[in-house]
Amino acid sequence: MLSEHVVQFYGENERDLLQRVRLFISQGLARNEAVLVITNPRRTDALFQGLDLSQTPGLTAVDATMLCDQLYYGGPISAEHFETHVGSLVRRLSARARSRGLRVYGDIVDELWNSNRREDAIDLERYWNDLQAQVPFTLYCAYHVEPQDVGSDVMAPVLHEHSSLVPALG
């Protein structure tokens, strides 16, 4: 299984993002892959609408706000904090999934980016890439950005850390 690290930029209208992420989740579950969703509380209901989580054993949901607090506990985000709170979880889910595959969607970088902790967001993307070098999985990230910023130098570090850009739905 190859690792892929994709990013989607979205603006004020989250419908496109929610539609794409729901598709990402449902395709993974249909293929019997393990799916990890790290999302904020306000997005949880929209992403899991119509899913009975108790009947979806391959799906693990983690509160992004809580996880972000854990990553910052006792100091700045570091590779060690990432491994303790994220890497160990991804390794466990990957081992449980075996060859079926693992998909991860995460909101933490979006929250960091939009709270002006942009260097931390890029560091977190690098930690994800380092983890993917050890454990194969597909990672889907999203960033709320203004349309004029998408092609700007501001987003170049974000694009550099991803293997592909998810196009907007037409």
Side-chain angles (χ1 to χ4, degrees):
M1 178 182 168
L2 294 176
S3 292
E4 189 176 9
H5 188 176
V6 302
V7 63
Q8 179 177 351
F9 299 132
Y10 69 98
E12 292 303 317
N13 184 347
E14 288 188 40
R15 280 183 297 191
D16 181 36
L17 172 67
L18 293 171
Q19 184 176 353
R20 293 281 186 150
V21 174
R22 277 194 297 264
L23 181 62
F24 178 76
I25 292 168
S26 64
Q27 286 176 336
L29 293 172
R31 293 180 179 141
N32 205 28
E33 295 174 332
V35 177
L36 171 61
V37 178
I38 305 169
T39 191
N40 58 52
R42 68 179 170 76
R43 213 173 259 158
T44 299
D45 290 340
L47 288 177
F48 299 141
Q49 183 177 3
L51 282 178
D52 180 355
L53 298 181
S54 67
Q55 298 297 315
T56 316
L59 178 63
T60 302
V62 175
D63 182 321
T65 305
M66 181 188 71
L67 185 56
C68 192
D69 288 345
Q70 291 172 335
L71 291 174
Y72 275 102
Y73 183 77
I77 289 178
S78 66
E80 293 78 23
H81 285 146
F82 181 82
E83 177 55 37
T84 299
H85 298 289
V86 178
S88 60
L89 174 60
V90 167
R91 290 173 201 286
R92 209 169 36 252
L93 292 173
S94 179
R96 205 177 309 152
R98 297 188 189 119
S99 63
R100 294 188 321 265
L102 172 64
R103 290 175 180 231
V104 179
Y105 169 76
D107 277 330
I108 296 176
V109 291
D110 189 26
E111 292 188 18
L112 292 174
W113 188 264
N114 287 295
S115 62
N116 290 319
R117 293 183 279 178
R118 293 180 173 183
E119 288 182 23
D120 289 345
I122 298 302
D123 286 344
L124 194 57
E125 294 287 12
R126 290 182 183 124
Y127 300 148
W128 280 111
N129 286 334
D130 292 344
L131 182 59
Q132 281 187 313
Q134 302 164 35
V135 180
F137 60 94
T138 300
L139 176 60
Y140 194 126
C141 301
Y143 285 78
H144 177 268
V145 296
E146 297 302 322
Q148 67 269 16
D149 291 338
V150 171
S152 73
D153 290 342
V154 171
M155 300 311 297
V158 173
L159 288 168
H160 179 75
E161 296 303 327
H162 293 84
S163 59
S164 59
L165 175 65
V166 176
L169 290 174

